[in-house]
Amino acid sequence: MTVASNAFALAADRANRGFERGHTVPVRAASVFFGFAFIWAGAGLWLVPGLDLEPGVLMVKAFLSIMMVAAGIGMTQIATARKLAEMHFDPRTRQVHLIEMRGRGRRESLRSVGYDAISSARVTDQSLVLLDQRGKAIAEMALEGPDMRDEAIAHLRSQSITLS
């Protein structure tokens, strides 16, 4: 059974729970700024007057503009790329597996949490939080609306995990 989401929304001690950090805000801001700068530069290259319209000059302009626009799009994707994450509930081993989808359909298991470590779960329209006996978040995953919330509640109830 799987509850899927587009991104993990983890609390502050995310590194202690085995999750990678995403790009920081300055890195994302810089990638957006330079990405759009490359896109505009690639388009603006055609506004610069040439000495004459020789085929060699046009080929160089075309090559440079295509490379700059491609680099700009790639840089803006750094800021907007969201990782696909899933929680797999395994009743046979009585564990919840936190899995992240990597490039080219590759899956990486980030962490496995046993049902005995989970005291309760808190579910809202925006997130699913698994809590330990002290009330501390073991894992948190972003949900996208009431349909995904209902699916998460159904999975938790089928595995006898209490809701708080």
Side-chain angles (χ1 to χ4, degrees):
M1 293 187 212
T2 304
V3 176
S5 173
N6 282 335
F8 281 110
L10 299 173
D13 63 335
R14 154 181 212 171
N16 295 336
R17 289 182 264 144
F19 296 101
E20 290 182 9
R21 295 186 83 115
H23 292 293
T24 61
V25 173
V27 169
R28 288 187 308 198
S31 69
V32 167
F33 176 77
F34 286 111
F36 281 115
F38 271 104
I39 291 170
W40 280 105
L45 188 61
W46 290 98
L47 300 176
V48 175
L51 297 175
D52 51 343
L53 298 175
E54 294 180 10
V57 173
L58 291 176
M59 287 296 289
V60 169
K61 273 188 172 183
F63 176 75
L64 286 176
S65 66
I66 290 171
M67 294 305 292
M68 292 177 102
V69 169
I73 290 171
M75 291 182 81
T76 56
Q77 289 300 309
I78 290 172
T80 60
R82 293 171 52 182
K83 296 178 182 175
L84 182 67
E86 297 177 350
M87 278 189 181
H88 290 269
F89 295 87
D90 188 359
R92 188 175 49 83
T93 60
R94 298 190 44 79
Q95 290 182 334
V96 176
H97 302 284
L98 305 169
I99 296 175
E100 183 175 83
M101 304 298 264
R102 298 289 179 146
R104 298 184 181 161
R106 192 170 46 101
R107 294 175 178 225
E108 182 177 328
S109 179
L110 299 176
R111 184 166 182 191
S112 295
V113 178
Y115 286 2
D116 54 344
I118 301 170
S119 172
S120 64
R122 186 175 49 231
V123 182
T124 65
D125 283 350
Q126 292 82 27
S127 67
L128 163 64
V129 182
L130 300 177
L131 305 169
D132 64 4
Q133 284 77 13
R134 295 175 294 173
K136 215 173 175 187
I138 298 172
E140 182 177 339
M141 189 171 103
L143 300 177
E144 297 173 353
D147 293 333
M148 192 173 263
R149 176 185 50 90
D150 294 341
E151 184 180 344
I153 290 171
H155 284 301
L156 292 169
R157 286 185 177 154
S158 70
Q159 302 303 314
S160 301
I161 296 174
T162 59
L163 299 170
S164 61

